[in-house]
Amino acid sequence: MSALQGLMQDHPLMISSLLEYAARYHGDREIVTLTGPGRRHRYNYADSAARARRLAKALQALGVEPGDRIATLAWNNYRHFELFYGVSGIGAVLHTVNPRLFEDQIRYILRHAEDRFVFLEPDFVPLMEKLAPDLPAVKGWFVLCEEPEMPDTALPGAQSYETLIGGHAPEFDWPVFDENTASSMCYTSGTTGDPKGVLYSHRSTVLHALASAQNSAFGLSAEDAVMPMANMYHASAWALPYICPMVGAKLVLSGRHADGPTLHDLITTEQVTFASGVPTVWTMLFQHLDATGGTLDSLNKVLIGGSAAPQSMIDRFRDRYGVQVLHIWGMTETSPLGVVSTPTPRVNALPRQDRDAILIKQGRAQYGIELKITDEAGNELPHDGQSSGALWVRGPWVARAYYGREDEPLLDADGWFPTGDVATIDPYGYMKITDRTKDVIKSGGEWISSVDVENHAMSHPDVQMAAVIGVYHPKWEERPLLVVVPRPGRTVEPESILKHLEGRITRWWMPDAVVVRDSLPLTATGKVSKLTLRDEYRDYLVDR
Ligand code: AMP
C-alpha cells in the first residue's frame, strides 16, 4: 500500500536562496571587511548578491560544470563570502582550503580534490607558484584583488578576481536542482592519516543554518551584528556566512586579523552584538582589555568552541562585560553544530552553582542531532552525567562518508558517526567532553598530527621512541610536548631534535618542549600510553 503523498510545494533547499532572501528583504544590511590597517570595505547584501551573480556567470563562462571543485585559499572577507554563493549556487563545489597547513598537506588536498580553479589571496601566490607544477587539474588561478594590486606571478594565466567578475552583468537566475547536490567541501586533519574531505550538500547546509539560528542555539536575528572569528576555511566559520543572510544580520569580517586590539576596535566601532571563535581568540582579546581597560558594551553573546571554553573565560565574559557565553561543540563532519550550552527552564531553576556546572559543559543536543555514548563493547551508556564513553552522533548534517573514500565504512550499523571524542551526557541532556581517543592535538583551534611529528622525530639518528602529546597551554589551549627515548648507548639533546624537525614540519607544529626519558609507559596491548603521559605532563608548560 503506498502512503498518501502530501500536497505541499516541493522546493529544493538551495544555498543561493539564502543570499537572495537577504538581498530582497535586508538589502541595505551591511557586510564590513577589515582589508588592512585602518581600511574597511563596506557594502550590503544587495551589492553582495549582485557580485555573487556576476561571479556565477563568470564561472559558467569559464566552463565550470556542476560538481567541479573550486578551491579557495582565503581569509574572512567579502570576496570569500561571494565565493560561498557564486560557486555553490551554480552546482559547483566550493572547496575551502586551510592555508595554514604545511605545504605537503595543501598539495595533497588540492590534488585529492582535483580542484579545477583556485581563488587565492595575494599572500598565497608564492606558495601556489611552488605547488602549481604538481596540480595538473588546475586550469586557472584568480587572485582576490583588484587588477592594479596583482602581484607579479608565474602562475599561468593568473587574473584578478575583479577582472574576472567585472566583465559580467549582475542579472542571473540561479539554477534550481536536487538539494542533495554537493555544495562545498572542507578537509579535516582531525584524525590520523591523510586529511579527509567532508562534502556538504545544499540540503545539509540550509537545514544546518535553520537549526543553528534558532533561539535554542545561536539565537540570531536581523538586529544582530555578527563577527565570526572562526575561519571561513574551517567548517565555514561555523556556518555564520549562511546564517547571517538567512536572518538579515550585519556581518563583520576581520580579514586576516585576529589580534586583541583589532578585535576590540571592530567590536566597538561596528557595534558587534555576537562574536564567535576558539578560546585562544578571546584570550588575546582579554590581554588587550587588561592593558587598556576597554569594555564590550555592544556585545551580547559570544560563541566559544573548537576546544573547551575555560570556566574563568565564561565567568569573566558574564561578570565583567555582561556577555553570555554559548559553549558549543561540533566538528567539520557535523557542519559543525552538534550541541550548544543554552539554558532550559529546568536548568535555570537550579541554584546558581549547579546551573553554572551544567552550562560550562559543551551543551545540549539541538533538534536534528542525536547523541549517544557507548562503552568499549559498544553498549550504550546511561545519560547520568557520570558514565563516560565514546561519543557518536547522527543527523541530516552529519557526514556519512569522506570524499573519495565512499567505500570505506565510516558509520556503525545504525548510521552513527564516531566522533573520536569521549563524553558524558547528564539527565538534563547536556554533553560534556571528557577526553579524546583520536591521536591529535588541537592548538589555537587547528590540528597538529602527533603521528607526523613522531615519525619525523624518530628519523633522528639517536632517537629510539617518540611520543607527542597535547598539554595545557594558557594561550593556545594545547601545545605539543615531545617525549623521546634515546637509542641504547646514545644520548640526545632536545635542541638537536628540534633542529632536526625544522623544515620537516610546519613552524607552528614544533613541540614547545622535548623531554628525554629512559622509557615510555605502555598499555596492556603494548602501545604507548598517551593517557599516562598526558596525566603526568598535564601542567608541564605552565610549571616551567
Ligand atoms: P574540527 O573538525 O577541526 O572542527 O574539530 C572538531 C573537534 O574539536 C571535536 O571532535 C573535538 O575534539 C574538538 N572540539 C570542538 N569543540 C569543542 C569543545 N567545545 N570542547 C572540547 N573540544 C571541542
Side-chain angles (χ1 to χ4, degrees):
M1 197 176 74
S2 64
L4 183 63
Q5 293 290 296
L7 291 174
M8 306 312 284
Q9 299 183 4
D10 185 10
H11 282 279
L13 303 172
M14 294 280 100
I15 286 177
S16 54
S17 70
L18 300 172
L19 186 57
E20 286 304 331
Y21 165 81
R24 176 169 291 248
Y25 295 106
H26 305 279
D28 59 349
R29 205 70 172 118
E30 273 189 313
I31 300 175
V32 181
T33 303
L34 184 68
T35 48
R39 280 186 292 126
R40 288 181 200 183
H41 174 275
R42 322 182 78 90
Y43 71 169
N44 58 34
Y45 280 120
D47 301 329
S48 182
R51 282 169 53 91
R53 285 186 231 114
R54 286 159 62 172
L55 169 64
K57 280 167 92 165
L59 291 170
Q60 287 187 335
L62 282 172
V64 171
E65 299 278 346
D68 282 352
R69 274 79 62 207
I70 309 291
T72 61
L73 283 100
W75 305 118
N76 287 12
N77 59 39
Y78 66 99
R79 292 190 180 107
H80 205 182
F81 177 84
E82 292 161 11
L83 282 154
F84 268 52
Y85 288 90
V87 174
S88 306
I90 57 166
V93 180
L94 176 86
H95 173 199
T96 53
V97 181
N98 180 345
R100 292 198 205 276
L101 294 177
F102 199 38
E103 213 174 283
D104 289 347
Q105 288 174 305
I106 297 182
R107 181 189 293 110
Y108 171 87
I109 288 173
L110 289 166
R111 284 178 67 91
H112 190 264
E114 297 176 286
D115 293 297
R116 233 182 122 188
F117 292 96
V118 178
F119 288 76
L120 67 161
E121 304 285 355
D123 322 23
F124 304 127
V125 165
L127 170 69
M128 283 298 130
E129 283 172 342
K130 227 175 192 194
L131 300 188
D134 300 331
L135 304 172
V138 176
K139 298 290 173 252
W141 307 86
F142 298 98
V143 184
L144 296 168
C145 63
E146 306 270 358
E147 196 58 39
E149 295 164 351
M150 272 295 281
D152 271 342
T153 172
L155 286 173
Q159 234 187 23
S160 78
Y161 177 85
E162 295 301 330
T163 302
L164 172 72
I165 70 166
H168 296 273
E171 291 78 31
F172 180 67
D173 287 328
W174 295 104
V176 176
F177 40 84
D178 179 358
E179 65 184 17
N180 283 302
T181 303
S183 57
S184 64
M185 75 197 303
C186 182
Y187 280 71
T188 173
S189 340
T191 47
T192 36
D194 288 323
K196 298 180 181 68
V198 179
L199 189 60
Y200 307 104
S201 69
H202 285 258
R203 173 184 158 82
S204 71
T205 303
V206 174
L207 287 177
H208 175 265
L210 281 165
S212 305
Q214 290 194 76
N215 263 340
S216 64
F218 302 174
L220 285 168
S221 80
E223 285 175 310
D224 280 300
V226 177
M227 183 165 75
M229 291 306 300
N231 294 301
M232 287 168 76
Y233 57 72
H234 190 161
S236 321
W238 305 351
L240 289 165
Y242 301 115
I243 302 166
C244 289
M246 195 183 78
V247 301
K250 172 176 169 177
L251 198 48
V252 181
L253 301 170
S254 69
R256 57 172 307 167
H257 309 275
D259 57 289
T262 301
L263 279 181
H264 187 235
D265 187 35
L266 282 173
I267 291 172
T268 312
T269 53
E270 300 297 342
Q271 292 288 289
V272 169
T273 61
F274 183 104
S276 60
V278 298
T280 300
V281 168
W282 312 118
T283 303
M284 291 192 287
L285 176 64
F286 284 168
Q287 274 168 359
H288 172 73
L289 296 177
D290 283 339
T292 58
T295 54
L296 300 171
D297 299 339
S298 61
L299 203 58
N300 298 324
K301 287 186 201 167
V302 166
L303 202 57
I304 305 184
S307 307
Q311 181 78 61
S312 58
M313 187 171 273
I314 297 176
D315 291 347
R316 178 166 174 175
F317 265 123
R318 183 193 52 216
D319 300 337
R320 290 266 290 276
Y321 307 111
V323 174
Q324 180 190 7
V325 167
L326 300 177
H327 196 184
I328 64 164
W329 169 91
M331 307 177 68
T332 306
E333 288 90 335
T334 66
S335 299
L337 180 68
V339 303
V340 189
S341 69
T342 42
T344 59
R346 256 176 98 199
V347 168
N348 268 339
L350 295 171
R352 161 116 189 227
Q353 228 177 343
D354 298 348
R355 192 185 60 204
D356 286 358
I358 288 180
L359 293 180
I360 193 197
K361 296 183 184 186
Q362 274 69 15
R364 63 189 171 97
Q366 299 296 305
Y367 172 75
I369 283 277
E370 292 175 86
L371 306 173
K372 76 168 177 183
I373 43 175
T374 60
D375 64 15
E376 273 168 25
N379 302 313
E380 222 175 312
L381 292 168
H383 295 187
D384 57 9
Q386 302 298 323
S387 311
S388 176
L391 174 69
W392 303 73
V393 293
R394 196 162 73 166
W397 54 84
V398 178
R400 66 177 154 86
Y402 291 110
Y403 178 69
R405 296 166 177 250
E406 291 82 349
D407 298 338
E408 293 175 23
L410 179 60
L411 312 181
D412 76 3
D414 297 320
W416 293 89
F417 170 83
T419 65
D421 289 315
V422 179
T424 60
I425 302 175
D426 68 23
Y428 297 93
Y430 290 75
M431 185 273 278
K432 178 179 155 77
I433 299 284
T434 55
D435 201 359
R436 197 187 279 154
T437 54
K438 41 198 176 192
D439 194 5
V440 277
I441 296 157
K442 205 166 206 196
S443 183
E446 298 291 339
W447 293 112
I448 296 175
S449 159
S450 13
V451 178
D452 276 5
V453 182
E454 283 160 8
N455 285 340
H456 287 300
M458 280 199 278
S459 70
H460 185 287
D462 296 328
V463 171
Q464 180 167 42
M465 281 174 91
V468 176
I469 50 166
V471 298
Y472 173 70
H473 186 281
K475 175 170 180 192
W476 301 108
E477 300 305 316
E478 268 181 22
R479 288 295 303 156
L481 174 73
L482 172 61
V483 186
V484 295
V485 177
R487 282 181 190 280
R490 306 275 183 88
T491 52
V492 59
E493 293 303 320
E495 292 71 36
S496 109
I497 299 185
L498 291 175
K499 192 131 200 64
H500 177 77
L501 291 176
E502 261 172 39
R504 291 185 158 88
I505 55 174
T506 193
R507 230 160 14 123
W508 62 271
W509 281 28
M510 274 291 174
D512 276 28
V514 180
V515 174
V516 182
R517 5 192 305 168
D518 294 338
S519 65
L520 292 176
L522 299 181
T523 64
T525 54
K527 286 193 203 147
V528 174
S529 172
K530 299 245 168 138
L531 203 64
T532 315
L533 287 175
R534 282 207 296 266
D535 276 346
E536 190 170 334
Y537 294 108
R538 189 172 305 277
D539 291 323
Y540 188 83
L541 297 177
V542 183
D543 294 341
R544 286 197 326 153

